[in-house]
Amino acid sequence: MKLIPLALSLILILFLVACEQPSGNAPADHTGINGGVAHKPGFNDPMKNCVSCHGSDLRGGSAGVSCFACHAKKWS
Ligand code: HEC
Ligand code: HEC
């Protein structure tokens, strides 16, 4: 019965990997957690810190995640 410890370690590894990233597919540098959602630090000044990947209008860009999917607030 060596399979049971093996299965338990696999579950533990999966659990640890899943906990490394707080949510979604956010990159590892998105360490600022707001309401369980990973935000890159500097989120209070998105027009400076987020536009390079989330688009000049913050509606997706190369990251493909729009800030307005979750926020009604419009940045400008
Ligand atoms: C270097 C590129 C890059 C920059 C700069 C960047 N992001 Fe992201 N961000 C991404 C990518 C890539 C994803 C994942 C997209 C996907 O889900 O496929 C993402 C996802 C997110 C998500 C969704 C996380 C989730 O769990 O659903 C949030 C929120 C977010 N970013 C916030 C921010 C904020 C706020 C800033 C500016 C302070 C920022 N990002 C700057 C690349 C970037
Ligand atoms: C998957 C949902 C989601 C996405 C996408 C997302 N956020 Fe958030 N954000 C949240 C949640 C949840 C909170 C915490 C609750 C709140 O303050 O509204 C939050 C909080 C914030 C806050 C701090 C509090 C506030 O409301 O002002 C800022 C600033 C912020 N987000 C900016 C951004 C920016 C910029 C982007 C796009 C790069 C983004 N968010 C994308 C879910 C998201």
Side-chain angles (χ1 to χ4, degrees), residues 23-27 29-30 37-43 46 49-50 52-54 63-65:
S23 68
N25 306 315
D29 65 353
H30 283 41
V37 176
H39 289 60
K40 195 173 155 109
F43 46 75
N49 301 314
C50 317
S52 56
C53 301
H54 289 271
V65 173

Side-chain angles (χ1 to χ4, degrees), residues 34-37 39 43-44 46 50 54 58 65-67 69-71 73 75:
N34 285 321
V37 176
H39 289 60
F43 46 75
N44 283 314
C50 317
H54 289 271
L58 296 173
V65 173
S66 168
C67 305
C70 303
H71 293 281
K73 178 179 175 181
W75 285 278

Side-chain angles (χ1 to χ4, degrees), residues 5-66:
L6 184 67
L8 286 177
S9 353
L10 277 177
I11 289 167
L12 184 68
I13 289 165
L14 284 175
F15 184 72
L16 290 174
V17 169
C19 287
E20 247 172 50
Q21 290 195 347
S23 68
N25 306 315
D29 65 353
H30 283 41
T31 52
I33 310 302
N34 285 321
V37 176
H39 289 60
K40 195 173 155 109
F43 46 75
N44 283 314
D45 195 1
M47 293 319 274
K48 188 172 145 222
N49 301 314
C50 317
V51 286
S52 56
C53 301
H54 289 271
S56 55
D57 53 2
L58 296 173
R59 288 185 183 277
S62 59
V65 173
S66 168

